[in-house]
Structures are given as C-alpha cells and as structure tokens.
Amino acid sequence: MYRDRVALYRELEKEFHSKILVYVTSDRPNMAAQISPDVIDYFIDHLDKIKPCGRISLFLYTRGGDTSTARNIVNLLRMYGDFLQVIIPHKAHSAGTIISLGANEIVMTKQATLGPIDPSLYTALNPRRPEGGIFPVSVEAVKGYLEFAKNELEIQDEASLASIFEKLTDFVHPLVLGEVYRSKAQIQMMAEKLLQNQVTEPEKIKKIIDFLCSESGSHDYTINRREAKNELGLQIVNPTAFQYELIKRIYDDINEELLFGKPFLITEVNGAYAVRRCILESVVGGADYFSTEGVVVRGKMPDGQTAIQNSISYEGWRHDHASEGGQVSVRNGEEEVIYERGSGYQT
C-alpha cells in the first residue's frame, strides 16, 4: 500500500536527486486499465504540490492507451521539471513508449521493455465483434494487408488493387481507413518532436520512428534495454544495484496490491469488492487511484443452479486517505475492500 511505499519513494528521490511521480495502469485480466485523458487533472494536482523543480522522474508501468494523453503527460511534466527521467520497472508499451521517448533519459531494469507505437483505432464506425464490442483497427494491419497483396501476391494492375481495396472497405468503414492514415501521420510527427529531447541527429530519429511505427513487425514486439540503447540509440541508463532493489521493491508492492497476474473472476467473489486498476502517487501528493467497486450477490434458481448478479456501484478516481485515518482497509478473500468511514458499510 501507499503508506508502505512512500519511504521507498523518498529513497529513490535521494538516489536520482529528483522528485518521483508514480503512474501505473494495471494489466490485470478482466480489470485492466489504460492511459486515459481523465488522469491529467490528477497529474496537475500532484505537480502543483511538487512545484517546479530541476528534475522529475516518472516511475511508469503501462501497456498503453491514448496517444494524445501520453504526449500531454510529457508536456505537462516538462512544464514543472527541466530534466525528465522515466523509470521503467517492467513494461512501458505503446503509449507508455511514447511517454518514454519524450524523456531526457530512460532508466530500464534488466526485465524492462518498450514496444512499438503503431496505434489501434477504436471508433463508433469500427467493425463489430460477433460476440459484442468493437474490433480494433490497427494501422499496421491495414498497411500489411495492402502490402501483402502487392508484394507477396505480386498484384500490380490497378483494377485488381481497386478490387482488393473495395474488399477492405466491406469490412472497415472508409472513414475509419482515413482516420488510420491520419493517425499514423500524427503519431510519427508526435514521436519526432518528443525524441528531440534525447536524440538530435535527424537520421537517428527517422530510424527510431520507422522501427517503432512499422519495421518491428508486430505490436506485441518487445524491446529490451540493450536493443533500445545499442540498436535504436535511445538514452538508456542502467540502475545501480541499490537503485534496482528500490525499483523492484516498489514494483513488487504495487503488483501485490493490483494483482497484475491474477484474473478477476466474478465467480470467486462474494459480497462487496473494490478493485484498484490505476494509481498515481507521489511523496507530497499522496495516492490517487482508479477503482471499480460493486457487490456480487448469489442466489438459487428454481432448477437449483446458482445465479450470480454483479452490481457495479462506483467506477472512477478516489484519493487514498488511509494514511490520514480516513479509511479502514480489510481483506475479503483475495480482494481488498475499502470501507469508507460513515459510508454505511459494516465491518
């Protein structure tokens, strides 16, 4: 919990001579979270309490999210700190990689990874899955489809290529395809501007962008610190043994709280639950977290089978007052349930 981690944050600040801000979006199955615009106001609250300073370090764990928000986070951090450092304990993929590109240097552990920044689009016009929900449209998947027709199948005549494109528009709305092109151009421009904080040579910048946007081959491709430093030319820093120990202890404690590797299963919950899916913490700003809260009620059906009803009562950001005596935390099975004082819950 935050009250246990804050001492580690202070130690890490001493090590890096910096102010630490911790941002984590969970990738827990069935309770994952992404970088989203709603976090910006909370970043501002923390940074206002930190105040403008020489160095800011963002401790970052995420599988990605909104690319515009990622750029907004970088710009915001740079308004408060002259030197921006990103600390990656494990994963900083997709939009997390975009944030990392905007830093002056990136501290990566042995297990830390970056990833490609080719975006996937989610719009109201996207294809629909048969089981419900939206089918994401990947920028590189569209490009790969067209390149497969031209390069692998060696289709060159205009009539056949036009037919292949029409087939694509039967599945993907033309306006979505237009957004795909616009999105790719936007993310390349964004990456180029952000990279200038750690790479100055135009040729190196182009090489990095080309690899991250298309040449990596798959959105699931991971880039370790050796490849990031030696092949891409990013400003990568290896933590000292003591710094690594602090980073690992912070990550392990957050993992224990957010349960990254344990799927959230309604069938295993009985009664009230509260799952933290995203946290934003600092020494002076305390802890903010995004929570999904609800109640699972079980009952018997006429045929003897058990019926499970999940009623979500709240979903949004909260501030953790645990260290101030504002909340009492109890364990209900493997899920942490937060009972606010005066909320009507019985302990």
Side-chain angles (χ1 to χ4, degrees):
M1 299 295 289
Y2 169 76
R3 60 180 171 269
D4 301 315
R5 292 190 291 269
V6 69
L8 299 175
Y9 296 162
R10 290 193 178 100
E11 285 294 318
L12 206 58
E13 287 187 338
K14 291 177 183 177
E15 282 294 307
F16 288 116
H17 307 286
S18 182
K19 295 298 182 181
I20 299 292
L21 193 57
V22 177
Y23 181 39
V24 173
T25 66
S26 176
D27 56 358
R28 183 182 184 185
N30 303 324
M31 278 291 177
Q34 291 188 326
I35 295 172
S36 301
D38 59 352
V39 77
I40 293 298
D41 286 342
Y42 296 91
F43 263 94
I44 293 172
D45 288 343
H46 280 264
L47 289 168
D48 279 343
K49 292 172 183 175
I50 290 173
K51 301 186 183 306
C53 57
R55 291 173 64 97
I56 288 181
S57 298
L58 180 67
F59 186 103
L60 179 66
Y61 178 94
T62 184
R63 296 298 296 274
D66 183 69
T67 55
S68 295
T69 301
R71 182 185 182 187
N72 198 353
I73 288 172
V74 173
N75 291 338
L76 188 59
L77 291 169
R78 289 200 160 278
M79 292 297 293
Y80 285 80
D82 298 325
F83 187 94
L84 175 59
Q85 176 189 72
V86 171
I87 302 171
I88 306 175
H90 199 320
K91 302 170 186 173
H93 298 170
S94 194
T97 297
I98 290 175
I99 292 175
S100 302
L101 296 180
N104 295 93
E105 67 179 24
I106 309 168
V107 177
M108 295 181 71
T109 64
K110 294 183 291 292
Q111 61 270 29
T113 56
L114 300 170
I117 59 175
D118 55 304
S120 293
L121 301 181
Y122 295 81
T123 75
L125 296 176
N126 276 46
R128 299 284 171 172
R129 296 181 183 274
E131 68 276 14
I134 291 177
F135 191 92
V137 178
S138 165
V139 170
E140 290 307 309
V142 171
K143 179 182 176 183
Y145 169 78
L146 297 174
E147 288 185 347
F148 172 75
K150 290 189 290 185
N151 300 332
E152 293 296 323
L153 300 182
E154 298 183 348
I155 298 174
Q156 299 297 328
D157 64 282
E158 293 185 5
S160 297
L161 290 175
S163 176
I164 289 170
F165 182 77
E166 288 176 5
K167 187 65 178 179
L168 176 62
T169 59
D170 289 341
F171 181 70
V172 182
H173 195 285
L175 291 181
V176 175
L177 293 175
E179 185 67 13
V180 162
Y181 177 80
R182 189 194 68 82
S183 177
K184 181 175 182 179
Q186 182 186 50
I187 205 166
Q188 288 175 331
M189 177 190 69
M190 184 187 305
E192 182 178 357
K193 289 183 177 180
L194 292 175
L195 271 169
Q196 292 173 6
N197 294 307
Q198 58 180 295
V199 180
T200 56
E201 298 89 337
E203 298 80 10
K204 286 187 177 180
I205 291 176
K206 183 179 185 305
K207 174 186 173 183
I208 294 169
I209 293 174
D210 288 345
F211 183 82
L212 294 177
C213 287
S214 59
E215 292 178 5
S216 56
S218 168
H219 195 71
D220 296 326
Y221 185 88
T222 55
I223 304 164
N224 62 30
R225 69 183 185 190
R226 184 174 298 169
E227 184 176 6
K229 181 177 182 177
N230 298 337
E231 298 185 28
L232 293 183
L234 296 175
Q235 295 298 316
I236 305 299
V237 174
N238 296 1
T240 66
F242 182 62
Q243 290 168 352
Y244 174 77
E245 180 186 349
L246 291 173
I247 292 169
K248 187 67 163 56
R249 287 175 64 188
I250 291 169
Y251 169 79
D252 287 344
D253 193 79
I254 293 172
N255 187 9
E256 183 178 349
E257 180 179 336
L258 301 187
L259 301 173
F260 295 143
K262 179 176 172 54
F264 177 80
L265 302 174
I266 288 295
T267 54
E268 296 180 357
V269 180
N270 187 22
Y273 67 88
V275 180
R276 298 189 180 194
R277 303 171 63 184
C278 181
I279 65 173
L280 183 64
E281 300 178 345
S282 65
V283 171
V284 296
D288 293 296
Y289 63 94
F290 187 94
S291 178
T292 295
E293 303 167 13
V295 178
V296 174
V297 178
R298 299 172 184 273
K300 289 292 184 181
M301 301 197 50
D303 60 2
Q305 296 186 23
T306 301
I308 300 177
Q309 180 181 4
N310 177 30
S311 176
I312 296 178
S313 57
Y314 178 81
E315 196 165 64
W317 286 89
R318 291 193 183 280
H319 185 75
D320 189 349
H321 298 281
S323 59
E324 305 164 17
Q327 295 180 337
V328 178
S329 300
V330 300
R331 286 284 177 181
N332 179 7
E334 293 182 317
E335 297 301 325
E336 183 178 28
V337 184
I338 307 300
Y339 296 93
E340 302 262 6
R341 295 190 190 277
S343 66
Y345 282 114
Q346 300 296 312
T347 61

